[in-house]
Amino acid sequence: MKYLQFIGLASVVFLIHAFKLEDTFQKTAPAKPIEERVDSVMKLMTIEDKIGQMTLFTSDWAVTGPTLREGYRDDIKAGKVGAIFNAHTAAYNRELQRIAVEETRLGIPLLFGYDVIHGYKTIFPVPLGESASWDLEAMEKSARIAAIEAAAAGLHWTFAPMVDIARDPRWGRICEGAGEDTYLGARIAEARVKGFQGDDLSKDNTLIACAKHYAAYGAAQAGRDYHSVDISERVLRETYLPPFMAAQKAGVRTFMTSFNELFGVPASGSRFLLTDVLRDEWGFDGFVVTDYTSINEMVYHGIVANDKDAAELSLNAGVDMDMQGATYYNYLLQLVREGRISVTRVNESVRRILRIKFELGLFDDPYRYSDTEREKARVFAPEHLEAARDIARKSIVLLRNEKNTLPLSKQIRTLAVVGPLAANQRELIGSWSGAGDYKQSVSLLDGIKTKLGAGVKVLHTEGCAITGQDKTGFKNALALAKTAEAIVVAVGESADMSGEAASRSDITLPGVQEELVKALVATGKPVVVVLMNGRPLAIPWLAENAPALLETWFLGTQAGHAIADVLFGDYNPSGKLTVTFPRNVGQVPIFYNAKNTGRPMDPQNKYTSKYLDVPNTPQFPFGFGLSYSKFEYANLKTDRSVFNTDSSPLKVTCTVRNLGPYDGEEVVQLYVKDRVGSVTRPVRELKGFQKIFLKNGESKTLTFTLTADDLKFYNRDMIWTAEPGMFDLYVGADSNAPLTTSVELR
Ligand code: NOJ
């Protein structure tokens, strides 16, 4: 095969080189075999070949934007494209790989990317939902399984994890990340990178990951997708960058630029982001890909006059690969010839890309990831479905449970299961479900029927659609409800109401769904409202009137089983919100770690910070989630009252008791407030958490550690440091935890 020939030729060239530079070679060869192999390939490449490696095109399978090119197979044959996305399955990708390896001059293997965001075929909860599990191990496992399936289906590269901090529920892409908190977001970023990439990229079950969208995409003004971002460097560095930095430290091999501008420069043209911070400060040595046509979009941003200037700006800023925009494809050669781009800069990018192709083992076996037998065996493997059910139930958040409406008894004789999402399979896999097959997903209705068996009468009707004003179905829904002992009503959004290009200015329940719920609650029967949605919703009536309210997001392939486990007490809910739920959209932005005001709210004083028409507090705070058990928090202590930067870590202990009546898990959260800083500090910041299991009646003393490093922030001179002074600590069940103590940092 061609690639073997060229490895042979490359070795000859390499040996001559090695002979001439014997000393250098002797020193570097054992330590950096991949670098030398990359060199050997680079030596054979023309500038055109190199530009080809820097070009990524979509296949004709699925697109998320304008398709600029047709005939990508011809481009592959001509060596004009080094990576393809949206092509998958072992058989299809094997054929494309064959063209690259057998029919191009150099036979350099292609890299196949895809949005494997929350599963490949076995679909896990949408990432925001999954983050509500606060279970890092489970999240790493779901990414691992996604990689195992995808890597058997011809893929090498996932455009995940999305590590954008998002605090605006209007923004549809809030669904794709880990919520509003930087600390938690960073931990989840690490877990997901580790899960996708495993411990050896050359194995046939790992994917390279991609930290996206770099950077601050989640701060889109007004929550409108693709909109401008205008934040300070302090906010960027303290809030938005840490999850990216954590991904880099966890070894993520690629970064994707974001669509937005930052400090007046679109991310794909930002030397500050792509070189100064990413390469020089953080030492990233993987490659940077743009988001879809974001180089071209710099013309609309008004920072360059045309695509050619855009390509120049982008490459010089530090972008290595152009996704779908064809700007490198069309203009890089001219730019090099005109001396506007240096060959050295091109070489740098090509080296980064080839290095990763070597790491994946593609030069050793370009078909390693395309094995139809393995694909069949791995996709939907029983252990994958089991893991999907496990993480799905861990992601469910119990928001309200009046008079212990839940769990429902399995001895029930008649149950009404209504609502537009009750029997739905399509929406359950959420947005960005890529290759997911919704027909394999277990609906809530089926999950309940399977759980209860034939002995229980389970009645179903939709009642209404997700959208629209038609209430004619209410009558039937109420008739069923009246004959049932309890009612489960599933309402929410459709999957495409969140994700990319899916911002909403109104985040209430769409259509007449709330009216349906009101009518059902008016029957006086026990009603369990099951929410399915990709963002925080504004649901004040439900939050105050539904007998029981379960947030189930879009839970994926095993959704119905997972929800049924919670409804009937086979799993005690343990999820906690990773994003604040506002009372109404007018409170946005609203997040727990905000700054204080000089005029804190005082109901007796008009001239304090508040609204006339809504409280300042959210509907449900960050970190909130109930259990069927009650947990008691006590004895919050530190091992010293004073600690300093050199001393051993401060130990913070607290006792948590499960007061029953069930065994269950609890996410114990540690928050810190820096009382006085050289710049103002948030009212609280999450600094640690532990998810623990306690049997009914059991108690445990937990220990958290804190070092001065954990208390660092950018001071008035933008220096990352911890300042001496008093810190308040809080430990509890959510971001309003009342149990507190304090400690001094000297
Ligand atoms: C655009 C999206 O912003 C990005 O997240 C995704 O990975 C690419 N399209 C490729 O589908």
Side-chain angles (χ1 to χ4, degrees), residues 492-527:
E493 300 181 305
S494 56
D496 61 6
M497 286 183 187
S498 58
E500 187 177 354
S503 296
R504 295 179 65 203
S505 68
D506 172 0
I507 55 168
T508 59
L509 272 182
V512 292
Q513 296 181 94
E514 189 167 304
E515 284 177 67
L516 174 66
V517 178
K518 282 180 177 164
L520 294 168
V521 171
T523 63
K525 300 259 165 125
V527 176

Side-chain angles (χ1 to χ4, degrees), residues 132 162 176 201 228 231 270 379 518 525 543 585 619 644 672 688:
M162 193 272 224
E176 297 171 45
L201 285 178
S228 301
I231 55 173
S270 171
V379 157
K518 282 180 177 164
K525 300 259 165 125
V585 79
Q619 190 74 62
N644 61 44
V672 172

Side-chain angles (χ1 to χ4, degrees), residues 64 85-86 115 159 173 176 212-213 217 256 259 291-292 323 432 500:
T64 54
F85 69 119
N86 289 332
D115 289 289
F159 302 137
R173 304 201 77 171
E176 297 171 45
K212 75 184 188 185
H213 308 80
Y217 185 35
M256 186 188 292
F259 287 120
D291 203 344
Y292 209 107
M323 181 194 286
W432 286 117
E500 187 177 354

Side-chain angles (χ1 to χ4, degrees), residues 470-484:
D470 185 0
K471 294 188 211 163
T472 47
F474 280 27
K475 203 170 147 215
N476 198 15
L478 285 167
L480 294 193
K482 278 178 191 148
T483 62

Side-chain angles (χ1 to χ4, degrees), residues 369-588:
Y369 302 85
S370 290
D371 176 335
T372 43
E373 287 310 310
R374 199 167 63 230
E375 182 179 22
K376 257 188 246 151
R378 287 189 180 169
V379 157
F380 288 129
E383 65 271 22
H384 297 179
L385 294 174
E386 206 178 297
R389 179 170 180 163
D390 180 56
I391 182 101
R393 57 193 203 172
K394 287 178 169 158
S395 305
I396 295 172
V397 185
L398 177 63
L399 295 174
R400 187 174 157 93
N401 194 17
E402 289 306 285
K403 297 189 199 141
N404 297 326
T405 306
L406 283 174
L408 296 172
S409 161
K410 284 183 208 161
Q411 266 63 61
I412 197 167
R413 276 156 305 165
T414 316
L415 179 72
V417 181
V418 300
L421 287 155
N424 185 297
Q425 289 176 286
R426 171 67 198 89
E427 313 305 331
L428 294 180
I429 57 173
S431 66
W432 286 117
S433 39
D437 175 1
Y438 73 83
K439 292 191 195 96
Q440 302 295 322
S441 55
V442 180
S443 72
L444 174 58
L445 184 63
D446 283 343
I448 290 175
K449 281 186 174 165
T450 311
K451 172 81 62 193
L452 296 179
V456 180
K457 224 176 180 185
V458 178
L459 312 166
H460 166 68
T461 182
E462 281 199 340
C464 66
I466 295 172
T467 53
Q469 297 304 313
D470 185 0
K471 294 188 211 163
T472 47
F474 280 27
K475 203 170 147 215
N476 198 15
L478 285 167
L480 294 193
K482 278 178 191 148
T483 62
E485 280 166 72
I487 303 152
V488 173
V489 52
V491 290
E493 300 181 305
S494 56
D496 61 6
M497 286 183 187
S498 58
E500 187 177 354
S503 296
R504 295 179 65 203
S505 68
D506 172 0
I507 55 168
T508 59
L509 272 182
V512 292
Q513 296 181 94
E514 189 167 304
E515 284 177 67
L516 174 66
V517 178
K518 282 180 177 164
L520 294 168
V521 171
T523 63
K525 300 259 165 125
V527 176
V528 180
V529 182
V530 174
L531 292 171
M532 298 183 184
N533 45 283
R535 60 155 57 72
L537 296 174
I539 40 168
W541 190 90
L542 295 180
E544 278 145 38
N545 298 285
L549 186 58
L550 270 188
E551 175 55 79
T552 74
W553 319 102
F554 295 118
L555 288 178
T557 309
Q558 293 287 292
H561 290 319
I563 302 170
D565 286 344
V566 167
L567 289 176
F568 297 96
D570 288 336
Y571 182 79
N572 187 355
S574 65
K576 303 268 188 175
L577 299 178
T578 57
V579 63
T580 303
F581 274 43
R583 293 171 191 272
N584 67 36
V585 79
Q587 289 185 309
V588 172

